[in-house]
Amino acid sequence: MLQVEGLRSGYGSIEIVRGVDLEVAPGQVTALVGRNGAGKTTLVNTLMGFSPAWKGVIELAGRDVTKAPPHVRNGLGLAVVPQGRRVFGSLSVAETLALASKQGGWDFERVSAAFPRLAERRNTRARSLSGGEQSALAMARALSTGPRVLLLDEPSEGMSPHVLRSLSSVISGLAAEGAGVLLVEQNLTFALTVADRVLVMARGHIDITVSGDDARADPDALSRLLVLQTR
Ligand code: ATP
């Protein structure tokens, strides 16, 4: 569904993503973990088209979108929950979702069932929401576009354990409906509740892939690996 080969990108003359091969398969949750600075956010931004690809190929639903702008990728079913949420503070919850909404995307009723707090806060401006509520809004905004492939960059940031449970059931539900999910997470415990596969990124490469079941069987081994990694 989303297929990436030999992807390279960076900032100025500094290469951050250094030859990434990656597949986000339909119906699967692929977790991407790695230490701070490994290049995960740069990879997500390059997949969405916010940062240009220097080399390599990004295919979405069989089409080469390597040079396509973000709105074209979104039209083909790609959506992102960006790091830091990036919601517009002056828009209310309802306005944020109405602006993003596309045919086939989640409507307000479905969003409200998944994140009841957003329904209670529907007329509240995003800037007045708590951090966890803003994270839920960023997630709901992506769902409103009806993604076939969803990129999540630390979506759990600021969420209470209760909202985290909602997030995990939304992610698993999306995959069960056939969507592909790429989940970038620092919170390993959370990532392992939903991951079918875990990819470990270091120094701009993805060197290690572990099945979700193996990672769950020995989560400490994964934690130790991350501690040992250098940037
Ligand atoms: P984190 O979990 O801390 O966000 P990450 O794995 O997502 O880490 P990136 O945010 O992709 O890593 O950062 C990779 C490298 O790129 C870091 O050295 C960072 O300082 C650098 N970097 C990130 N954004 C920019 C930018 N806009 N301009 C220049 N360098 C940047």
Side-chain angles (χ1 to χ4, degrees):
M1 194 174 271
L2 178 70
Q3 194 95 31
V4 175
E5 269 178 37
L7 189 64
R8 293 177 181 271
S9 68
Y11 307 99
S13 60
I14 301 176
E15 190 173 66
I16 302 292
V17 174
R18 296 181 178 147
V20 164
D21 299 329
L22 167 72
E23 184 187 15
V24 180
Q28 281 215 342
V29 179
T30 301
L32 179 66
V33 301
R35 290 184 63 169
N36 289 343
K40 305 178 299 294
T41 295
T42 307
L43 174 61
V44 166
N45 287 343
T46 310
L47 296 177
M48 194 64 219
F50 296 148
S51 285
W54 292 0
K55 275 204 174 131
V57 178
I58 304 170
E59 275 188 11
L60 182 61
R63 277 186 54 178
D64 184 342
V65 296
T66 313
K67 294 191 182 336
H71 71 271
V72 170
R73 300 182 200 207
N74 184 239
L76 290 168
L78 187 66
V80 67
V81 175
Q83 191 176 40
R85 310 163 189 125
R86 307 250 184 102
V87 289
F88 292 114
S90 58
L91 296 183
S92 70
V93 167
E95 286 166 344
T96 301
L97 298 179
L99 264 181
S101 169
K102 287 214 175 97
Q103 205 168 9
W106 285 34
D107 59 17
F108 196 78
E109 204 179 326
R110 197 166 175 200
V111 165
S112 305
F115 301 106
R117 186 71 183 145
L118 289 182
E120 289 165 24
R121 308 277 269 158
R122 66 181 296 160
N123 295 316
T124 304
R125 290 184 198 280
R127 74 163 68 90
S128 304
L129 300 175
S130 72
E133 288 166 350
Q134 287 187 6
S135 291
L137 179 58
M139 181 72 188
R141 178 179 57 186
L143 295 169
S144 302
T145 70
R148 304 295 302 147
V149 179
L150 184 58
L151 311 175
L152 303 169
D153 195 351
E154 311 225 7
S156 68
E157 206 182 352
M159 284 185 174
S160 65
H162 176 69
V163 184
L164 264 184
R165 278 194 291 279
S166 303
L167 180 66
S168 114
S169 71
V170 166
I171 292 173
S172 303
L174 272 177
E177 288 173 11
V181 179
L182 181 68
L183 170 66
V184 172
E185 259 305 335
Q186 297 277 359
N187 181 342
L188 268 190
T189 310
F190 171 67
L192 292 185
T193 59
V194 290
D196 295 299
R197 271 191 323 152
V198 181
L199 312 180
V200 182
M201 188 167 190
R203 298 176 301 279
H205 289 277
I206 295 172
D207 294 327
I208 298 168
T209 304
V210 189
S211 77
D213 288 340
D214 285 350
R216 278 183 285 277
D218 191 357
D220 290 347
L222 193 57
S223 306
R224 280 196 299 273
L225 183 72
L226 291 173
V227 169
L228 287 174
Q229 278 183 338
T230 54
R231 287 173 53 180

